[in-house]
Amino acid sequence: MAARRQRTVITGGAGFIGSHLCDYFVEAGHEVICLDNLLTGSGSHIEHLLGREDFRFIDYDVTGYIHVGGPVDNVLHFASPASPVDYLEYPIETLKVGALGTHKALGLARDKGARFLLASTSEAYGDPQIHPQPETYWGNVNPVGPRGVYDEAKRFAEALTMAYHRTHGMDTHIARIFNTYGPRMRLYDGRALPTFFRQALKGEDLTVYGDGSQTRSFCYVGDMIEGIGRLLKSDEHEPVNLGNPDELTILELAREIIELTGAKSKIVFEPLPTDDPKVRQPDIAKAKRVLGWEPTTPRSEGLKRALDYFREQVAQGAQNG
Ligand code: NAD
Ligand code: UDP
């Protein structure tokens, strides 16, 4: 008898990373069920999959009880606003999807005996005092600051996932995802990289917050998806950092994007948001060791691919795409 096709549930599957995961698992031969309430995602990211017999989109808020008929082999919980601008606009929704949504997604996985993978974040480390950040660092998070709604929701989600693993023996995985970029980021999501591309492509000034000396390390989405796929199948249950250690300052990023686009734009400086982390760089020794994974797309190449996408978006006059 032929083996049954794997069935994979992806919450937040109409978002930036989630929609790439939908593509990845459909291509791997799975049947994919995408649950998303389109709070910060877009139907356009998964439009190309609609109508396939191995893909289903359900417009659903995963903070409520999740019912999926039939067997489920994998649950990937990616639903959550992720851009600081988004989670500051939706603070309660962010806390709810990190807490209640994770509870419901774990409950579904437990009921079905499925593998579970949580999209956690480098924000679990807050404004880090150890650099680069290994998984053993417990972080420096302000729980009651504006960013606390995201950071603490994800820290709670990690704690809940470990509790389900330890209590119920579930096959769970936690990805601490660092800044990721690529096609399908929204032009207006407020994150530095799409904002700088949009501003440069429209000939506007680039808004660097603070003096731009804060650092980030950007990972191309294709590399991230591969890391997530490997983590899901691994035997590792403790958190694993996924990201590209290629660190640069935000001012350097702005300058690179001006050069790459050939824009005449200037750089203007605006106030640094509250609790904005001063440095961020993943220590990926563990991912290399347990997953045999490391990013392979250099920044120069990833930025070129992102440029092609953002140029198209600007040309189409996308407001939200
Ligand atoms: P995104 O905003 O593009 O995607 C999130 C998706 O979740 C959206 O489609 C949104 O509509 C959906 N969603 C939100 N609340 C929901 C709810 N209650 N029910 C159903 N769907 C809901 O963001 P992204 O960048 O693709 O991030 C995806 C995941 O990865 C998030 O969990 C985020 O915390 C995590 N992450 C992303 C990054 C990054 O750099 N992109 C870094 C660290 C962690
Ligand atoms: N940032 C900036 N200009 C912008 C948007 C963001 O200088 O228009 C800065 C932001 O203050 C932070 C960094 O760029 O220091 C990365 O911000 P992003 O929103 O991409 O994500 P974060 O890594 O802070 O979650």
Side-chain angles (χ1 to χ4, degrees):
M1 202 175 75
R4 179 179 62 75
R5 177 154 71 187
Q6 289 204 44
R7 296 184 84 222
T8 297
V9 171
I10 304 175
T11 77
F16 160 51
I17 299 182
S19 63
H20 286 283
L21 284 172
C22 290
D23 287 340
Y24 175 86
F25 285 108
V26 163
E27 270 164 38
H30 295 206
E31 179 182 340
V32 170
I33 299 151
C34 163
L35 305 177
D36 199 302
N37 66 353
L38 302 180
L39 180 67
T40 56
S42 167
S44 64
H45 294 155
I46 47 156
E47 219 169 15
H48 58 288
L49 295 171
L50 297 176
R52 290 178 64 118
E53 45 90 34
D54 52 2
F55 180 79
R56 196 144 59 96
F57 167 65
I58 303 170
D59 185 345
Y60 191 69
D61 179 345
V62 299
T63 61
Y65 182 85
I66 305 174
H67 171 76
V68 174
V72 173
D73 304 285
N74 310 291
V75 176
L76 292 95
H77 182 43
F78 276 68
S80 170
S83 157
V85 168
D86 287 340
Y87 60 73
L88 296 178
E89 186 178 352
Y90 300 112
I92 296 171
E93 289 86 346
T94 302
L95 281 158
K96 284 177 73 177
V97 75
L100 307 179
T102 304
H103 183 226
K104 300 296 178 285
L106 278 163
L108 171 70
R110 184 178 176 217
D111 184 49
K112 304 287 185 182
R115 286 191 199 107
F116 177 85
L117 187 142
L118 171 70
S120 185
T121 168
S122 54
E123 283 286 314
Y125 302 120
D127 187 8
Q129 289 158 324
I130 290 187
H131 192 67
Q133 296 78 53
E135 290 85 350
T136 46
Y137 177 48
W138 292 349
N140 177 37
V141 171
N142 173 3
V144 294
R147 292 177 86 110
V149 298
Y150 182 65
D151 304 2
E152 293 297 2
K154 291 289 184 181
R155 287 165 66 100
F156 174 85
E158 287 195 6
L160 192 63
T161 302
M162 289 309 297
Y164 268 66
H165 168 66
R166 293 192 183 111
T167 309
H168 301 304
M170 278 175 58
D171 184 6
T172 63
H173 308 274
I174 299 174
R176 287 203 182 132
I177 300 172
F178 284 65
N179 294 66
T180 302
Y181 72 99
R184 299 188 193 153
M185 292 186 100
R186 279 155 43 231
L187 272 183
Y188 287 87
D189 84 0
R191 289 185 260 207
L193 194 140
T195 304
F196 292 165
F197 268 113
R198 188 195 75 226
Q199 291 166 331
L201 289 167
K202 290 180 164 225
E204 296 166 2
D205 293 343
L206 273 64
T207 51
V208 166
Y209 299 161
D211 62 5
S213 63
Q214 68 273 30
T215 69
R216 295 293 186 273
S217 309
F218 293 91
C219 182
Y220 188 69
V221 66
D223 288 332
M224 180 57 59
I225 298 299
E226 177 63 29
I228 293 165
R230 289 194 192 197
L231 179 58
L232 178 70
K233 285 187 282 189
S234 78
D235 295 327
E236 184 57 48
H237 303 297
E238 301 277 336
V240 179
N241 286 341
L242 295 179
N244 192 325
D246 177 21
E247 183 186 23
L248 81 171
T249 69
I250 290 301
L251 187 57
E252 283 167 342
L253 177 71
R255 288 191 177 131
E256 270 188 23
I257 290 178
I258 288 178
E259 200 183 311
L260 187 64
T261 53
K264 302 266 180 294
S265 307
K266 292 194 303 292
I267 291 173
V268 294
F269 294 91
E270 294 191 356
L272 194 65
T274 311
D275 295 336
D276 199 283
K278 284 181 270 307
V279 290
R280 188 183 288 153
Q281 184 190 32
D283 176 336
I284 59 165
K286 184 172 181 181
K288 282 186 190 163
R289 192 176 69 247
V290 301
L291 309 177
W293 173 88
E294 66 183 308
T296 56
T297 312
R299 192 165 78 236
S300 54
E301 174 60 32
L303 287 181
K304 266 192 224 137
R305 290 189 210 163
L307 170 62
D308 291 343
Y309 169 77
F310 288 123
R311 192 175 266 147
E312 211 173 284
Q313 292 293 299
V314 169
Q316 287 170 5
Q319 293 300 313
N320 201 31

